[in-house]
Structures are given as C-alpha cells and as structure tokens.
Amino acid sequence: MKILLIGANGTVGKAVAAELGTRHEIIGAGRNSGDLRVDIESLASVEKLFKEAGPVDAVIATAGSVHFGPLAEFTPEQYAIGLNNKLMGQVNLVLAGQKVLNDGGSFTLTSGIVTRDPIRYGSSASMVNGAVEGFARSAAIELPRGLRINVVSPNVLVESLAGYAPYFRGFEAVPAARVALAYSKSVEGAQTGQVYEVH
Ligand SMILES: NC(=O)c1ccc[n+]([C@@H]2O[C@H](COP(=O)([O-])OP(=O)(O)OC[C@H]3O[C@@H](n4cnc5c(N)ncnc54)[C@H](OP(=O)(O)O)[C@@H]3O)[C@@H](O)[C@H]2O)c1
C-alpha cells in the first residue's frame, strides 16, 4: 500500500512509520518536516498535499496540537487552537481525502486517553478527542467506495514521559511501538468506525 502519514516526524508518527514502513510505501508529511509539507488547519493546503502525493491507499494522521491550561483561565482563543488544529485538521484530511483516496482505502485519526480519563488542564484535549471520535463514528457510515475510518486513542507514551509525566501520575504509559500496532490494525485490517484504545 501507499500510505500518507501526516505527522510522520512526531513521537507517534515515527513509531507508526517504523511499524508500517517495512511492508508499505510511506509518504511522510508535516508542517516543517517530511517528504511533503502541509498545514492541516487549511483545507487548501490539504488538497494540495493530496495532489502532490498522488493516489494513496491510506491516510494516517498523527498530527494535532491542543492548548493545555487551567479551566479557570481558559479563553475561547485557546480552545480554538485545538479545534482548528487537532479537530478540523484531521477532519480536513477526510473532507479532501474522501474524494481522492483509492477505492477501499482507509483513514486513521488520533485522539487520546483523556477523552475518557481526564487530567488536570486537559479540558481542550478531552473535548477535541471526543469530537474526533464522534466524527469518525459518523463518517464511517457515509464514506463511499468502501472507504474506512478508525481512530487510535493512545495512553501517554513512554517516549513522551520526560515532558508529560507530571500531568499523568498514575497512568501506565505505553511504548510507542505498541500504539503503532493499533494503526496497523486500522490500515491493514477490515474494520471501520472503531476507536482503538491503547490504554
Ligand atoms: N505523545 C503522547 O504521549 C500522546 C498520547 C496520546 C495522544 N497523543 C496524540 O498523538 C498525536 C501526535 O502526538 P505526538 O506526541 O507524536 O506529537 P509530536 O511529537 O509533537 O508530533 C506532531 C507532528 O505533527 C506535525 N504537525 C503539527 N501541526 C501540524 C499542522 N498544522 N500541519 C501538519 N503537520 C502538523 C508535526 O510536524 P513538524 O514536526 O513538521 O512540525 C509533527 O510531525 C497528537 O494528536 C497527540 O495529542 C499523543
């Protein structure tokens, strides 16, 4: 398969590329890195990405930022960061990709454990992750031509603990290589409308 991986240079993306790159052709994309450049916040940029990539069988998004901060100080502008980037960025990939993906192709998006297991300062992350999962469940029943869509919801990664540990006390961090298996199941399996929790 030819797989377009957005966020290929990130912590999750590198592990996904290592898992799937042995069996498939990976086209890596990112905002400032990768074979192709894209800003997923812009639908026009995403459409240009698909033109440059050519026909692909799978799209994986391991890109997405949200703002973390105390609820008492959160502003609408700070919520908009996650809504525009992690939520609409991934939605933009599906909006543009549904028209150009090869028949039977797949989308795999990324949410995160805080959808259901919240942490302090994570109200935007929980909100956005829940929306990504709801979007995918619904898109799955409308996508044409046998296209599939799933979401991977990782726990905090072992590889990210250096920065995130204080916010995830009591969570059992998972290795990125184990999270990557869920992306493999989504791309190489047959299911659709699923949320794969690697918690
Ligand atoms: N790490 C964890 O413990 C963890 C746990 C649960 C969920 N997640 C979720 O998994 C996803 C990836 O996390 P990560 O830790 O791997 O992040 P990361 O290391 O910061 O990597 C993010 C990647 O996304 C790309 N990117 C960011 N904004 C972009 C944009 N507007 N357009 C295109 N590409 C963009 C970056 O590209 P450049 O490098 O080129 O800028 C980078 O390759 C996020 O949604 C995160 O919330 C992570």
Side-chain angles (χ1 to χ4, degrees):
M1 273 187 251
K2 201 166 163 187
I3 300 173
L4 181 56
L5 173 59
I6 298 98
N9 199 38
T11 312
V12 178
K14 279 182 190 152
V16 172
E19 173 63 33
L20 287 170
T22 55
R23 299 183 287 280
H24 306 284
E25 181 188 347
I26 307 281
I27 307 170
R31 200 168 25 186
N32 308 297
S33 61
D35 305 313
L36 299 173
R37 300 296 151 91
V38 63
D39 179 1
I40 57 171
E41 292 190 32
S42 155
L43 182 60
S45 176
V46 169
E47 287 168 344
K48 183 165 159 278
L49 171 73
F50 279 112
K51 277 205 187 84
E52 289 170 357
V56 295
D57 303 291
V59 175
I60 300 175
T62 58
S65 330
V66 297
H67 180 79
F68 286 88
L71 182 66
E73 294 167 19
F74 238 102
T75 65
E77 292 73 22
Q78 289 169 336
Y79 282 114
I81 294 169
L83 294 173
N84 291 331
N85 188 311
K86 185 165 181 176
L87 177 56
M88 284 312 299
Q90 296 193 91
V91 170
N92 283 337
L93 289 167
V94 178
L95 290 182
Q98 65 181 337
K99 298 175 185 155
V100 296
L101 229 66
N102 290 337
D103 290 359
S106 68
F107 296 96
T108 309
L109 311 184
T110 301
S111 61
I113 190 170
V114 299
T115 316
R116 300 206 297 128
D117 200 356
I119 57 169
R120 204 175 276 121
Y121 306 141
S123 64
S124 175
S126 294
M127 177 173 74
V128 162
N129 288 342
V132 169
E133 293 175 9
F135 168 76
R137 284 195 186 96
S138 183
I141 65 170
E142 285 195 55
L143 281 172
R145 301 184 290 106
L147 299 179
R148 300 180 298 107
I149 181 167
N150 299 296
V151 177
V152 176
S153 170
N155 199 331
V156 66
L157 268 55
V158 171
E159 290 80 354
S160 300
L161 280 180
Y164 295 166
Y167 306 100
F168 285 91
R169 296 292 180 216
F171 285 68
E172 192 175 357
V174 294
R178 187 151 89 77
V179 171
L181 293 176
Y183 291 87
S184 157
K185 185 188 283 185
S186 174
V187 171
E188 298 176 296
Q191 299 176 8
T192 190
Q194 302 298 307
V195 176
Y196 299 121
E197 295 185 336
V198 191
H199 294 176

